[in-house]
């Protein structure tokens, strides 16, 4: 274990972690509200309040399995120190800000994982990685959008069959109401999976400094702080990415929005209960593409979808590089 940090440094690092959580909510607000906004069921200003509430209460539904994975299953907790945590957060925050400015729905989750890997490997080489946990997270890059895609397609088929004798007006009215439920579930899954990543960062920092005793755990004040920071970020919106997610990939009806949100929520619920830190961005994008492709393949703007995939591929290495450079910069500065 490294030398104990002074209280101001420890508080400062926790503040940076909560800033990342806030930016995560800001950046990923679109994931929760893109479909309900694009179908005009809710105006953006009301949708963000709806999403923020369910983001915050998510800790009452889920355990802390994802926080455990981030805290102990990506890099070895024994090599964690202030420099590694700071480098990881800078790598994730810089990548989040760049992609937010460009309106690209990249993954805050994988930016954080890349930051941890970059900071950890800059300090201890490849032995810093916990390959079992890291491989699980990398596998989720492929599986989460694929599962969201397939579930959303299946839901469209089932719902279309059930609604075959109803008038278009009746179907539209019913799913405008049902979309409130599906958006709530998706926001709940988003808050449950994403806020836990910052909980894991703060908890492993406290653990590395001996504040949690011999057993890794997540204090309740950390849980509340992270859920609140994410909810506040969600309140700030993220209209640039809403436009890409809800309007540019494919046009959505309330029925399709319901199917996309429900398929995405089911994927997030499964992953969170299994402790897998998936990307909410990847998941909802896969689901939106799924409902568009269920209508017809040409309904999806594949050039937009492919540009999003490129961002997915480079997120972990890009944030890892920024984190590694930050680690070396801090090391040189503090000498």
């Amino acid at each position: 274990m490294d030398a104990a940090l002074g209280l101001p440094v420890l508080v400062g690092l926790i503040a940076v972690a909560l800033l990342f959580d806030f930016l995560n909510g800001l950046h990923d607000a679109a994931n929760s509200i893109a479909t309900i906004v694009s179908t005009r069921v809710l105006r953006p200003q009301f949708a963000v309040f709806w999403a923020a509430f369910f983001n915050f209460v998510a800790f009452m539904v889920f355990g802390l399995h994802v926080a455990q994975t981030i805290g102990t299953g990506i890099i070895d907790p024994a090599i964690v120190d202030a420099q590694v945590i700071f480098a990881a957060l800078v790598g994730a925050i810089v990548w989040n800000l760049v992609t937010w400015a460009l309106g690209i729905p990249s993954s805050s989750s994988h930016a954080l994982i890349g930051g941890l890997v970059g900071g950890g490997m800059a300090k201890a080489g490849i032995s810093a990685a916990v390959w079992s946990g890291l491989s699980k997270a990398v596998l989720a890059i492929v599986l989460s959008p694929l599962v969201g895609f397939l579930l959303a397609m299946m839901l469209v088929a089932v719902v279309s069959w059930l609604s075959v004798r109803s008038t278009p007006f009746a179907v539209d009215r019913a799913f405008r109401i049902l979309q409130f439920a599906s958006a709530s579930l998706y926001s709940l899954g988003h808050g449950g999976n994403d806020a836990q990543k910052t909980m894991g960062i703060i908890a492993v920092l406290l653990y590395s400094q001996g504040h949690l005793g011999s057993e890794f755990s997540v204090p309740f004040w950390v849980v509340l702080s992270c859920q609140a920071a994410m909810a506040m970020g969600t309140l700030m919106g993220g209209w640039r990415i809403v436009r890409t997610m809800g309007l540019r990939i494919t046009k959505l009806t309330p029925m399709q929005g319901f199917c996309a949100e429900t398929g995405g929520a089911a994927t997030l619920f499964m992953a969170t209960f299994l402790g897998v830190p998936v990307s909410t961005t990847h998941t909802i994008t896969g689901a939106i593409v799924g409902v568009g492709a269920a209508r017809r393949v040409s309904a999806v703007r594949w050039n937009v979808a492919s540009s999003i995939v490129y961002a997915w591929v480079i997120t972990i290495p890009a944030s890892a590089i920024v984190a590694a450079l930050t680690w070396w910069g801090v090391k040189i500065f503090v000498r």
Side-chain angles (χ1 to χ4, degrees), residues 69 74 110 113 132-142 276-278 316:
T69 299
I74 303 298
H110 292 127
I113 289 170
S132 57
L134 186 57
S135 60
K136 186 193 301 183
V138 171
L139 184 62
I141 293 177
V142 177
V276 181
V278 299
I316 287 182

Side-chain angles (χ1 to χ4, degrees), residues 173 185 263 273 278 285 333:
R173 183 176 59 183
L185 290 173
F273 282 122
V278 299
T285 303
F333 179 77

Side-chain angles (χ1 to χ4, degrees), residues 99-150:
T99 52
W100 175 79
L102 296 175
I104 300 170
S106 66
S107 169
S108 299
S109 307
H110 292 127
L112 183 58
I113 289 170
L116 279 171
V117 171
M121 287 188 176
K123 179 182 179 181
I126 60 172
S127 62
V130 179
W131 292 106
S132 57
L134 186 57
S135 60
K136 186 193 301 183
V138 171
L139 184 62
I141 293 177
V142 177
L143 290 183
S144 62
L146 181 60
V147 172
F149 176 91
L150 293 174

